[in-house]
Amino acid sequence: MAEARDEPAVFVVEPLFPQRLRRPSDALRFLATVLALVAVILLSLVAKQTLNGLEQDIQTGTEYVPSLLSRLATFLGGAAVLAVPAAFAVERVFHRDGLRVAEGLIAAIIGMVGSYLVGVWVESPGGPEDLGNLLTGGGRLDALNALLTSVIAYATAVRINRRPTWRAILWTVVALFLLSLFSGRQITIPSALVTVLFGMAIGYATLYGIGSPNTRPPGNAVLATLRRLSFQPVSARRIEDDHQGSRRYSVGLRDGSSLDVTVLDRDQQVAGLPYRLWRRIWMATETRRRAIRSLRAELEREALMAYAASAAGVSTPRLLATSEIGTEAALLAYEHLETRRLDDLDDAEVTDELLVKIWKQLKLLQRQRLAHRRLTGDSIQVDGDGNVVFGDARSGEIAAGDLLLRIDVAQLLTSTALRVGAERSVNVAASVMGNATLAGALPLLQKIALIRETRAALKKNKQLLTELRDRIVERKPQAEAEEVRLERFRPRTLITIIASAFAAYVVLSQITQVDLGLVVTTANWWWGALALGASVISFVAATFVIRGFVPAGLPFGRTMLVQFASSFVKLVAPAAVGGIAINTRYLQKRGVPSTLALASVGASQLIGLVFHISLLLLFAYITGSNTASSFTPSRTLVVVLLIVAVLIVVVLGVPPLRRLVTGRLRSLFSNVLPRLLDVLQSPAKMLEGFGGTLLLTIAFVVCLDACVRAFGGEISFTAVAVVFLTANAIGSAAPTPGGLGAVEVALIAGLRVAGVLDPVATSAVLLYRLLTFWLPVLPGWASFTYLQRKQAL
């Protein structure tokens, strides 16, 4: 390529530009439209009655419109909905943009065919009946209006929305056309919304599929802009793009100097948007970056950071000029420095002296409260004299808060430790920044705080962050390593929310299958009273368990209140977590050392697990035996043993699962054995702890058995015990609060397998969960509030 004016021709060495590009923005708009389409369909299915009433109101209202005006709107809408796209096509052809019109026609044809296929699908015998009735008004209309689908697909593909005047005319015409269809009862509200969104989705899919004309300014346009900025380029070549996909050019000037030019393309501003959106939702407010920033804002951000870094005395390439290149790009021209990246240096060249220089540059940034936010081996560079240069200013922040500054320290610690090891990295950093600064960064040494490339490198050295923390603690043992939550939520929380929503749906669906009035009038409430008593006894048993495994004396009344409080905590925590956490906290408040408190609770959990498995095997063995003398293994026992064996094989055979389980068990039961030996030496404590554990299980089994008998169910006590023990294990593993949903499903399924009728099983389980999970919530909340006020929790 060459440019010839008064200046001599300059050839730009760069790859040929593709004529068409698949723009990420089109793909994102397509996905957003599809999500909106799905949301509209789901809401329409849920609110069918409301939509029917709204349609009747609209149709009633159109009857009051004067006949002449209604006919005029029908005529104008039907004619104009074709005339406006045709007029826009003529206008584009006159401007020699016929290719865009051809793209629109392709989208229109696809839209017409797609609307026909959707209509055939929803109206077919095997199609979705509810959706078909929703779109066709009971089979009397087309599912999608083919004309409107084609027009919307065409308008989207020709990007008519970028022209404000044409956009206003088009949507006015579409509104008139829809009004005429409603007045003639030729379309439903869901069908109208789905038609518009379906046409938009077709348009965006067409744009992304066939690509859009490449509007990026080529290298000669970049040189022309530099000339307008009073530079005199004599050579130019494109070099490696930066980490955000922006183009970079090395430009030689007539005076012998060089420029490093970064070109920001408008179509690249949405590249990586899904990841940025996810980080924006997931991360804490101060650590988030804007997911979408305009071309102008991105240009100003990088320029401001470059000027601020230079003013702070940081060694960084000097920004010489900025400019827009037409409407589709902008450039930043930096002074060229001959440097090598830190990643490209040999290990022998990465000396302590060089590391000190790197940390001094960071110290200059932090004095002016500037956060770099990308301190990696490719942005840290070294010139020929051994001086450190910080590049890549675009990711930085001015007037940064303490959290971002501490993250920079943690990032640089990790980046240098990947090259020279944890000990050297910490020692050099401490010599420049001080132990207090490193102690402040200690809580930020977590993967989520680091950039993506550093997190990837840490996969090869998984212990590096732990080593860094240990080295910092050695230098400043009194450092407070308070937890810093950078995530708004953890993936585990998201899983819990989704599982809880599903569990609520399961429970509500079960409730709708039961006639509550019939249940109340036909139940034998003497058995219900026994079930309530057993539920209360379970809290007494839980109190005995905790008292039995703690060497210190615990007051019975307050300890029992703690067990009630744990029933309140189960509303927001999985069943296996809430009780452990609140009992450990209670023991710590009673003056029991943290290690001993954890060991005591762990011992109670371990004995509970042993009792649980032993009773499950015992009752499974007994259940199904024909006579007392015929103790042959029952089918239930065989099934239970097979399930346990499969689970053990899976856990032991999958390394990640094996490490997860062993790590959890080691942390929970590391000090349990000494605690159990202490209990065995005290007969009173042993009786209280072991007896309470047995009583706790028996109380729950009695409660479930009484609930079954309250509704006329006939089942052996041992079968009820097997059902309870199995369902309780499933509930403990479920991520939902209190095992919600999982326990109900497991109990009902178990009772059905044991021979209990469906209505009886469902009613019994709902009563059981009411007595053991929901009813204790109110006294649990009162106990929790009281204990907090008394500083017992």
Side-chain angles (χ1 to χ4, degrees):
M1 288 177 284
E3 182 165 340
R5 287 189 180 177
D6 297 332
E7 299 289 339
V10 177
F11 291 91
V12 182
V13 180
E14 65 177 344
L16 289 175
F17 275 33
Q19 292 185 346
R20 306 185 70 81
L21 293 174
R22 287 190 173 90
R23 300 179 184 272
S25 56
D26 293 331
L28 290 173
R29 290 188 178 100
F30 169 73
L31 292 176
T33 306
V34 170
L35 291 176
L37 182 61
V38 172
V40 166
I41 293 175
L42 293 178
L43 289 175
S44 300
L45 291 173
V46 172
K48 287 187 290 188
Q49 299 298 329
T50 303
L51 287 174
N52 291 336
L54 182 60
E55 286 181 5
Q56 292 177 1
D57 292 340
I58 293 175
Q59 292 170 358
T60 302
T62 57
E63 294 176 358
Y64 294 97
V65 178
S67 176
L68 178 61
L69 182 60
S70 177
R71 292 177 182 177
L72 181 62
T74 301
F75 172 76
L76 290 177
V81 80
L82 290 174
V84 171
F88 185 81
V90 172
E91 190 260 353
R92 285 292 87 198
V93 170
F94 272 115
H95 285 82
R96 297 183 178 180
D97 196 10
L99 187 59
R100 182 182 301 189
V101 177
E103 295 170 0
L105 291 176
I106 293 174
I109 294 171
I110 296 175
M112 183 173 293
V113 174
S115 63
Y116 171 76
L117 294 177
V118 170
V120 171
W121 173 58
V122 299
E123 295 173 12
S124 63
E129 184 177 353
D130 290 342
L131 181 60
N133 292 333
L134 193 70
L135 298 179
T136 63
R140 56 187 176 84
L141 305 172
D142 292 332
L144 300 181
N145 186 282
L147 175 60
L148 186 58
T149 301
S150 299
V151 169
I152 297 296
Y154 169 86
T156 303
V158 297
R159 302 186 187 276
I160 203 171
N161 282 335
R162 292 187 175 182
R163 307 282 297 278
T165 302
W166 284 101
R167 181 177 63 225
I169 295 173
L170 174 70
W171 288 107
T172 301
V173 167
V174 169
L176 287 174
F177 184 61
L178 287 174
L179 178 62
S180 66
L181 292 177
F182 277 125
S183 62
R185 299 187 178 183
Q186 299 176 25
I187 200 170
T188 64
I189 291 179
S191 177
L193 295 174
V194 170
T195 296
V196 171
L197 291 172
F198 184 75
M200 292 174 63
I202 292 295
Y204 287 129
T206 303
L207 279 176
Y208 188 75
I210 65 178
S212 302
N214 189 350
T215 57
R216 295 178 182 176
N220 58 351
V222 174
L223 295 186
T225 303
L226 289 174
R227 289 193 181 97
R228 288 194 296 271
L229 294 171
S230 301
F231 294 104
Q232 297 178 329
V234 295
S235 65
R237 62 184 178 88
R238 184 171 172 180
I239 56 178
E240 181 183 3
D241 294 351
D242 67 12
H243 71 281
Q244 295 187 16
S246 299
R247 288 183 284 156
R248 297 171 63 229
Y249 292 87
S250 177
V251 179
L253 302 180
R254 181 172 296 175
D255 61 5
S257 61
S258 299
L259 297 177
D260 290 329
V261 179
T262 300
V263 178
L264 311 178
D265 293 303
R266 186 180 299 279
D267 62 88
Q268 282 293 317
Q269 296 307 109
V270 296
L273 179 61
Y275 176 77
R276 295 200 300 272
L277 283 173
W278 168 246
R279 294 278 292 187
R280 185 168 178 82
I281 296 171
W282 185 21
M283 299 295 289
T285 303
E286 191 174 352
T287 63
R288 301 183 308 182
R289 306 179 189 180
R290 291 192 62 178
I292 303 177
R293 184 176 283 109
S294 68
L295 179 66
R296 183 77 183 180
E298 191 71 20
L299 175 67
E300 293 174 349
R301 172 195 176 94
E302 183 170 349
L304 182 59
M305 184 63 191
Y307 288 137
S310 293
V314 179
S315 179
T316 184
R318 188 161 57 98
L319 180 62
L320 301 178
T322 62
S323 176
E324 292 184 341
I325 312 174
T327 61
E328 297 298 320
L331 67 78
L332 300 100
Y334 290 94
E335 172 190 21
H336 175 72
L337 299 176
E338 288 294 339
T339 58
R340 290 188 298 162
R341 300 183 306 175
L342 182 64
D343 283 344
D344 296 333
L345 298 181
D346 295 332
D347 290 342
E349 296 179 274
V350 185
T351 62
D352 287 353
E353 180 183 0
L354 178 62
L355 295 176
V356 166
K357 292 179 180 179
I358 294 174
W359 282 102
K360 284 183 177 179
Q361 291 296 308
L362 177 62
K363 193 170 186 178
L364 290 174
L365 282 174
Q366 301 226 331
R367 282 178 179 173
Q368 300 300 318
R369 304 200 70 80
L370 301 175
H372 190 280
R373 305 201 68 175
R374 189 175 172 78
L375 292 169
T376 60
D378 60 349
S379 62
I380 301 172
Q381 301 170 5
V382 182
D383 65 14
D385 297 328
N387 298 317
V388 173
V389 178
F390 277 2
D392 200 1
R394 192 188 315 174
S395 302
E397 296 276 358
I398 65 170
D402 289 338
L403 182 59
L404 289 182
L405 299 180
R406 293 160 65 192
I407 288 177
D408 261 4
V409 176
Q411 172 65 44
L412 186 53
L413 269 174
T414 309
S415 295
T416 53
L418 286 169
R419 285 301 306 271
V420 302
E423 186 172 0
R424 278 185 65 191
S425 177
V426 170
N427 290 341
V428 174
S431 68
V432 178
M433 308 295 292
N435 291 331
T437 300
L438 298 191
L442 180 61
L444 279 309
L445 286 170
Q446 45 183 305
K447 284 186 178 181
I448 190 64
L450 308 175
I451 67 170
R452 194 186 312 187
E453 291 83 352
T454 306
R455 295 199 301 269
L458 285 173
K459 292 181 180 179
K460 301 178 182 178
N461 193 347
K462 297 182 179 180
Q463 298 302 317
L464 182 62
L465 293 181
T466 303
E467 294 174 6
L468 285 171
R469 297 188 197 102
D470 293 341
R471 299 292 83 76
I472 293 175
V473 172
E474 287 176 2
R475 298 188 66 90
K476 193 173 178 63
Q478 67 275 22
E480 295 184 4
E482 80 282 0
E483 182 182 6
V484 176
R485 283 290 301 274
L486 298 178
E487 312 104 319
R488 287 179 175 272
F489 58 87
R490 292 194 170 106
R492 183 187 307 170
T493 306
L494 186 62
I495 293 173
T496 300
I497 294 173
I498 296 173
S500 299
F502 179 74
Y505 171 77
V506 170
V507 174
L508 290 175
S509 64
Q510 292 170 347
I511 292 176
T512 57
Q513 298 175 6
V514 178
D515 187 344
L516 295 180
L518 184 63
V519 167
V520 172
T521 56
T522 59
N524 186 337
W525 290 110
W526 288 108
W527 285 109
L530 176 61
L532 177 62
S535 176
V536 174
I537 291 175
S538 68
F539 290 96
V540 177
T543 305
F544 285 140
V545 172
I546 294 300
R547 283 166 51 92
F549 288 98
V550 177
L554 298 176
F556 185 87
R558 179 161 292 189
T559 307
M560 187 171 177
L561 289 179
V562 173
Q563 308 316 306
F564 274 104
S566 67
S567 65
F568 170 68
V569 175
K570 287 178 182 178
L571 282 178
V572 294
V577 176
I580 295 176
I582 197 167
N583 280 305
T584 303
R585 180 67 174 170
Y586 168 65
L587 295 179
Q588 290 172 339
K589 283 290 188 177
R590 293 290 303 179
V592 179
S594 298
T595 304
L596 185 57
L598 288 171
S600 299
V601 176
S604 67
Q605 293 293 314
L606 179 60
I607 294 301
L609 178 63
V610 172
F611 269 76
H612 192 103
I613 296 175
S614 301
L615 290 174
L616 178 60
L617 295 177
L618 174 63
F619 286 122
Y621 193 94
I622 296 174
T623 303
S625 297
N626 295 325
T627 64
S629 59
S630 176
F631 276 86
T632 57
S634 66
R635 183 179 302 172
T636 306
L637 177 60
V638 173
V639 172
V640 170
L641 291 176
L642 286 176
I643 293 175
V644 172
V646 169
L647 290 176
I648 292 174
V649 170
V650 170
V651 170
L652 295 179
V654 180
L657 285 178
R658 183 172 65 247
R659 288 193 295 267
L660 177 64
V661 172
T662 55
R664 294 289 178 85
L665 292 177
R666 188 182 299 112
S667 62
L668 184 61
F669 300 131
S670 57
N671 297 313
V672 166
L673 186 57
R675 181 81 285 273
L676 288 177
L677 295 177
D678 292 339
V679 172
L680 293 175
Q681 293 176 5
S682 173
K685 288 288 184 181
M686 184 175 64
L687 178 62
E688 197 171 20
F690 287 27
T693 303
L694 180 61
L695 179 61
L696 181 64
T697 302
I698 297 300
F700 282 125
V701 176
V702 169
C703 181
L704 180 59
D705 183 69
C707 290
V708 173
R709 297 181 185 278
F711 296 101
E714 293 292 338
I715 185 175
S716 67
F717 183 82
T718 56
V720 173
V722 171
V723 170
F724 163 76
L725 292 168
T726 304
N728 190 59
I730 295 173
S732 299
T736 56
L740 186 65
V743 171
E744 285 82 0
V745 171
L747 285 174
I748 292 174
L751 291 176
R752 288 172 179 171
V753 171
V756 180
L757 298 177
D758 286 357
V760 175
T762 304
S763 302
V765 169
L766 293 178
L767 177 60
Y768 169 78
R769 290 292 276 172
L770 174 67
L771 297 177
T772 58
F773 181 72
W774 295 107
L775 197 60
V777 168
L778 186 59
W781 169 79
S783 300
F784 186 81
T785 305
Y786 171 79
L787 292 170
Q788 279 198 320
R789 189 168 62 249
K790 294 296 184 180
Q791 297 185 350
L793 287 179

